[in-house]
Amino acid sequence: MMHHKSREESLAMATEMLELIESETLTIEQKKKIVSDSVENFTNHVTKAILTHRKSVSTDFSVVEWEDEGAVFRDTMGDEYVDCLGGYGVYLLGHRHPNVVRAVEAQLKRYALHSQEMVDPLRGYLSKLVAAITPGDLQHTYLVNCGTEANEMALKLARLATGKKYFISMERGFHGKTMGSLSASGKSTFREPYSPLVPGFQHVPYGDADAVDQAIRMLIATGETVAGVIVEPIQGEGGVNIPPDDFLPRLREICDSYECLLIVDEVQTGMGRTGTMFGVDHWNVVPDIMTLGKAFGGGVMPIAAMVAKKKWWGKMEENPFLLGSSTFGGNPLCCAGAIAGIKTILEDNIPQVAKEKGDYIMQRLDEIKQQYPEVLVAVRGKGLLIGMEFANNSLGYTLAKMLFIKKILVGGTINNATVIRIEPPAVISYEQLDYVLACIEEGIAQLAKEMKVAR
């Protein structure tokens, strides 16, 4: 049994930890110690299964993330890995983009968190900037810490503003794992352990506007009311699923005709990831409420937002504390990072960069798919949100493992393990992309050969 430590023991422990954090360089003993400490700490104080999950990909535990920049991160030993996972969308601007770091450092020298009571100017500035870059008449912003929280706020605002109850959400959709967002999400594995979930969610197949229309019609016909429809412009976790071109425009019409709100979850697709500033821009649709997260903090700070049209904001003017109160939401440090991130996205035309690099990757992957259709069955994506679908689960899994050995990190999707996500930072170089694509081709060729032998 491990017991409560004395004050002296705890202080010594904290001191030792801080020495590692604050040291400019590490000795080889320290580097090894961090690795062994990490294994022990995760086993005893975090979750051992996280280690075994990593081990399944990396063959050992010795890869401990220690520093990062641009499109790479390094382990304690200084080995570089090319990041094609991009924190599932966080690192659109790469790791520690100097513009964002500079803004955060400048703010840190002033004040880091807000008083809760006085007016904090950065929250106002960031909200104004968000209104400027989001489509149509989206105007008011509510700042929180992460994507699932932004979606909680969106669901609450929709009920608050309309006075209605039900939501239509999508099969295979993913909106986060807090209770409201989870109720909207569409995968049984995540949902079952926590039932009963928040009532009032009706799921329909993604991409099927008729099903949405019918679900709303039936709810109303049986005496229910519908507050909104929540949807991702492109499903990320669900396997990079792209809807038919008329889907979002039709959802806009359907929501207008039944007077319910169109809530678009842009946590992963927003900020230029898919080749346009927001996913909805591919279809020129303006939602009633949009949620942002992941890349929103410039890849440096954890911050997310819910943005809504002015006409749904009335109840917030009556009582601004009714929706939620987030102690750290919209804190100055995170706002500084988000403002610098947005400036960089605009300055460097990141949506265009994502489109060009995404097209480049897709073209190469299509060629590989034509050559090895028995292994790689589909390639789909927009911008730098790309999914490779494999003939079965173990093929995708094995490829991810092969790539890790080549020091490339890619993303399996939680909802759909036969799909591997390629989601690199927009700052990745064409040289790095060529290396990644060559390794993917080599890995798939190897898998194809092994399949022939197995037959």
Side-chain angles (χ1 to χ4, degrees):
M1 274 291 285
M2 299 173 76
H3 289 293
H4 176 70
K5 298 276 192 274
S6 73
R7 177 175 170 274
E8 287 72 22
E9 286 173 307
S10 302
L11 181 59
M13 212 184 279
T15 305
E16 191 185 8
M17 292 170 185
L18 257 182
E19 274 167 12
L20 291 172
I21 293 170
E22 291 176 356
S23 70
E24 292 282 312
T25 55
L26 300 173
T27 65
I28 193 81
E29 283 72 34
Q30 285 175 310
K31 290 175 179 180
K32 288 180 173 160
K33 183 176 160 36
I34 291 169
V35 174
S36 56
D37 284 352
S38 300
V39 172
E40 187 190 336
N41 295 340
F42 268 78
T43 304
N44 294 326
H45 304 290
V46 189
T47 307
K48 191 178 181 177
I50 293 174
L51 287 179
T52 35
H53 168 74
R54 284 297 326 137
K55 191 173 161 90
S56 65
V57 175
S58 72
T59 64
D60 63 33
F61 291 141
S62 65
V63 180
V64 171
E65 196 171 341
W66 192 246
E67 53 180 53
D68 65 359
E69 66 186 300
V72 301
F73 60 90
R74 298 184 198 93
D75 66 9
T76 46
M77 298 304 168
D79 281 349
E80 270 195 4
Y81 289 76
V82 180
D83 183 7
C84 281
L85 164 67
Y88 295 109
V90 172
Y91 296 112
L92 183 63
L93 295 177
H95 297 260
R96 284 188 311 121
H97 194 291
N99 298 358
V100 184
V101 171
R102 196 164 52 243
V104 173
E105 282 176 343
Q107 184 56 39
L108 187 55
K109 293 190 176 102
R110 245 176 253 111
Y111 70 123
L113 299 174
H114 50 304
S115 70
Q116 306 292 324
E117 200 47 43
M118 291 166 78
V119 173
D120 38 319
L122 269 68
R123 182 155 44 158
Y125 281 132
L126 176 57
S127 299
K128 181 179 184 175
L129 193 52
V130 169
I133 64 170
T134 46
D137 50 348
L138 288 168
Q139 183 181 340
H140 287 273
T141 292
Y142 191 90
L143 296 165
V144 290
N145 307 289
C146 60
T148 188
E149 219 180 340
N151 286 329
E152 294 286 344
M153 295 305 137
L155 295 167
K156 288 176 78 176
L157 181 65
R159 279 186 178 168
L160 189 65
T162 62
K164 297 176 179 182
K165 304 286 179 251
Y166 257 86
F167 290 99
I168 309 300
S169 57
M170 307 298 144
E171 182 186 7
R172 297 209 299 265
F174 184 80
H175 303 287
K177 292 185 193 161
T178 48
M179 288 304 236
S181 305
L182 183 59
S183 307
S185 296
K187 192 183 185 198
S188 57
T189 325
F190 295 153
R191 295 166 55 90
E192 274 165 17
Y194 303 110
S195 66
L197 287 165
V198 179
F201 287 82
Q202 174 88 36
H203 290 77
V204 299
Y206 182 69
D208 185 344
D210 291 335
V212 175
D213 187 72
Q214 188 174 4
I216 298 174
R217 205 165 49 77
M218 292 317 294
L219 283 165
I220 293 171
T222 52
E224 303 289 353
T225 56
V226 179
V229 174
I230 182 166
V231 64
E232 297 156 275
I234 295 168
Q235 287 186 332
E237 291 296 338
V240 191
N241 305 317
I242 301 172
D245 280 335
D246 66 344
F247 182 57
L248 286 158
R250 284 197 56 206
L251 289 191
R252 180 65 280 173
E253 287 165 12
I254 290 165
C255 287
D256 287 340
S257 67
Y258 291 109
E259 294 177 338
C260 57
L261 306 196
L262 178 58
I263 304 167
V264 175
D265 175 344
E266 293 263 8
V267 171
Q268 188 160 192
T269 49
M271 312 312 297
R273 164 67 53 191
T274 67
T276 49
M277 183 61 100
F278 300 101
V280 289
D281 297 341
H282 290 289
W283 299 281
N284 295 316
V285 166
V286 180
D288 294 289
I289 300 176
M290 179 188 277
T291 55
L292 299 169
K294 294 196 189 293
F296 185 62
V300 174
M301 301 306 286
I303 182 170
M306 173 198 70
V307 202
K309 294 184 173 185
K310 186 180 173 68
K311 65 172 164 186
W312 306 120
W313 211 250
K315 286 275 192 289
M316 289 292 288
E317 304 297 351
E318 291 167 34
N319 179 357
F321 305 108
L322 192 57
L323 188 67
S325 102
S326 170
T327 302
F328 301 121
N331 68 72
L333 261 192
C334 287
C335 287
I339 291 167
I342 292 171
K343 177 176 184 274
T344 306
I345 288 166
L346 295 169
E347 216 164 36
D348 297 351
N349 199 351
I350 293 296
Q352 184 60 28
V353 174
K355 184 189 183 314
E356 287 166 11
K357 288 181 180 166
D359 289 347
Y360 183 80
I361 297 168
M362 289 279 287
Q363 192 187 337
R364 287 284 304 274
L365 292 180
D366 273 328
E367 289 164 10
I368 296 170
K369 185 193 87 175
Q370 279 160 22
Q371 211 176 338
Y372 305 105
E374 70 282 13
V375 179
L376 185 58
V377 296
V379 176
R380 50 183 181 265
K382 279 189 187 292
L384 290 172
L385 176 55
I386 295 169
M388 303 164 62
E389 187 172 334
F390 291 86
N392 60 51
N393 203 353
S394 75
L395 287 170
Y397 187 72
T398 313
L399 182 75
K401 218 168 172 158
M402 289 170 157
L403 291 173
F404 195 83
I405 293 164
K406 301 273 188 172
K407 307 214 177 335
I408 296 166
L409 189 68
V410 292
T413 68
I414 307 179
N415 269 7
N416 184 350
T418 55
V419 176
I420 282 185
R421 260 183 290 185
I422 305 287
E423 216 171 324
V427 300
I428 195 166
S429 69
Y430 281 96
E431 289 75 20
Q432 286 168 320
L433 282 180
D434 285 340
Y435 172 69
V436 169
L437 290 160
C439 291
I440 288 174
E441 183 161 10
E442 194 183 315
I444 289 176
Q446 175 73 26
L447 290 169
K449 202 164 103 185
E450 285 166 15
M451 278 172 81
K452 285 197 181 77
V453 173
R455 283 191 202 126

